[in-house]
Amino acid sequence: MKSHNSQTRQIFHKIHSNSLKSKNTFRRIKNLLNCKNLKLPKNYFNNKICADFGCGSTGAGGLNLLELGAKYVHLIDLNKNITKPIKKNLKKYNGKYQIDIGTVEKTPYKKNYFDFILCSGVIHHVKNDIKGLKEIHRTLKKNGICHLMVHGSGGLLSKFVMDILRPEYNKNLSIKIFLNKIMFGKLKNYNKFFEKNYDKESLKIIKFIKKYIDNDLLLTIQDRVLAPKYKTYNLVDMKKLLKKIGFKDIYRIKKKVEFKNIRRLLAPFYFNYNHEISKALYGDGNISLIIKKK
């Protein structure tokens, strides 16, 4: 594997492995797809050959597709360390799925093979995203559908994370030490400082905030900060690119996501991505698209 791929898989294997320990995280990821929010006919997945491109170490997307009725699912990612946890999570579907090791930039699948491809939160991490999108197009059947999710550009919070937090983490040791303690749940190291320097009311506020910082949130922060590459996309430009590659009937979908942590306060803005507050905070937000091959 190339260095970029190796680093990416190593980081995300750790994140995904930890997500298996968090019921809230796994449940949230596994239940992201349904025919209603994909705006597809009921029972659409029956007898469909599907794939999860960049399936990760949990196989949650593939499990979601099988539960929706897919006939067979191919799961592909960069390293064999995905095999054991996926087999465990998909054990009741033995014989209905296949695990493949490879990159979404060059898969082992033949042309015009899949009815449906899931590629969620992957393209913005790969070294050559154009190759990845072309590979989705190559392997889809005519009129085959892909659910593609990438990270949108713009917005105060997104720009802070992508343009300030990520670069500073990589070049400023003090910030790296501080963020590591946040991301890996070691804030208790600061308890003595808090107890010495804050009054009782302030300590109550800190305790209240901590209540809504769970492992699911920490894994999300790790995802945003530690990934070797995190490209963001302008929605209009992305649609133009997809049409140029050969996709049609491109439309954006909404998915309601439930959180148990502090992100529950932000979840309405993920769903209502055109609201002025959403635009101010997240710009184009998480861009979830349905795209069809011509």
Side-chain angles (χ1 to χ4, degrees), residues 26-163:
F26 185 72
R27 188 184 301 113
R28 173 172 61 80
I29 296 171
K30 185 185 78 67
N31 294 330
L32 284 176
L33 295 185
N34 59 65
C35 291
K36 183 178 180 180
N37 66 31
L38 294 176
K39 297 183 180 179
L40 295 172
K42 188 178 180 181
N43 300 325
Y44 167 82
F45 289 95
N46 288 2
N47 296 314
K48 294 291 192 297
I49 305 298
C50 303
D52 185 359
F53 278 20
C55 63
S57 300
T58 67
L63 178 58
N64 199 171
L65 292 169
L66 288 164
E67 289 181 344
L68 287 170
K71 179 180 179 180
Y72 199 85
V73 175
H74 290 262
L75 302 98
I76 184 169
D77 215 313
L78 291 165
N79 191 283
K80 64 182 180 180
N81 58 23
I82 68 173
T83 304
K84 186 176 179 179
I86 289 178
K87 283 185 175 180
K88 181 178 179 180
N89 288 332
L90 274 63
K91 60 183 178 182
K92 71 176 182 178
Y93 290 103
N94 284 340
K96 296 194 69 175
Y97 71 89
Q98 178 176 314
I99 301 170
D100 299 302
I101 309 304
T103 170
V104 300
E105 297 158 282
K106 188 177 180 181
T107 70
Y109 310 120
K110 60 185 180 182
K111 292 181 181 179
N112 309 312
Y113 181 62
F114 294 112
D115 297 293
F116 184 94
I117 293 175
L118 170 64
C119 189
S120 181
V122 176
I123 289 295
H124 49 231
H125 293 310
V126 302
K127 188 171 184 179
N128 191 322
D129 54 338
I130 307 298
K131 277 188 177 181
L133 293 171
K134 287 182 177 179
E135 190 66 0
I136 291 171
H137 183 269
R138 183 187 72 82
T139 55
L140 273 177
K141 295 177 181 177
K142 183 178 180 180
N143 293 317
I145 291 173
C146 171
H147 169 42
L148 176 73
M149 194 284 282
V150 294
H151 204 293
S153 60
L156 292 172
L157 291 181
S158 296
K159 287 185 73 65
F160 171 73
V161 172
M162 298 303 168
D163 299 343

Side-chain angles (χ1 to χ4, degrees), residues 118-261:
L118 170 64
C119 189
S120 181
V122 176
I123 289 295
H124 49 231
H125 293 310
V126 302
K127 188 171 184 179
N128 191 322
D129 54 338
I130 307 298
K131 277 188 177 181
L133 293 171
K134 287 182 177 179
E135 190 66 0
I136 291 171
H137 183 269
R138 183 187 72 82
T139 55
L140 273 177
K141 295 177 181 177
K142 183 178 180 180
N143 293 317
I145 291 173
C146 171
H147 169 42
L148 176 73
M149 194 284 282
V150 294
H151 204 293
S153 60
L156 292 172
L157 291 181
S158 296
K159 287 185 73 65
F160 171 73
V161 172
M162 298 303 168
D163 299 343
I164 298 176
L165 201 61
R166 281 174 53 83
E168 287 297 324
Y169 177 83
N170 288 315
K171 69 181 182 182
N172 188 314
L173 182 59
S174 296
I175 291 175
K176 188 169 190 174
I177 291 171
F178 173 61
L179 279 178
N180 280 344
K181 287 184 177 178
I182 293 175
M183 291 189 294
F184 299 107
K186 296 181 179 179
L187 280 176
K188 62 174 62 177
N189 294 347
Y190 294 135
N191 283 346
K192 288 184 180 179
F193 176 86
F194 295 152
E195 291 168 1
K196 183 178 179 180
N197 291 280
Y198 286 112
D199 58 34
K200 290 183 178 180
E201 288 302 313
S202 299
L203 288 172
K204 286 181 181 178
I205 294 171
I206 291 174
K207 185 176 180 180
F208 178 80
I209 293 172
K210 284 183 177 180
K211 182 180 178 182
Y212 291 97
I213 298 176
D214 62 7
N215 193 49
D216 187 25
L217 177 63
L218 300 182
L219 293 173
T220 299
I221 298 172
Q222 291 175 35
D223 173 285
R224 301 294 188 269
V225 174
L226 298 178
K229 177 184 176 183
Y230 217 122
K231 184 174 180 178
T232 58
Y233 298 82
N234 173 274
L235 177 60
V236 174
D237 291 341
M238 171 56 84
K239 286 183 175 180
K240 288 179 181 177
L241 173 60
L242 292 170
K243 288 178 180 178
K244 185 177 180 181
I245 289 172
F247 292 101
K248 63 176 182 176
D249 299 339
I250 300 167
Y251 60 87
R252 189 171 184 175
I253 62 171
K254 293 182 176 182
K255 290 183 286 188
K256 284 191 175 180
V257 185
E258 295 184 2
F259 297 100
K260 301 295 183 181
N261 54 52

Side-chain angles (χ1 to χ4, degrees), residues 259-273:
F259 297 100
K260 301 295 183 181
N261 54 52
I262 202 166
R263 291 177 77 192
R264 66 197 303 169
L265 299 177
L266 298 170
F269 303 118
Y270 302 158
F271 184 76
N272 299 289
Y273 50 75

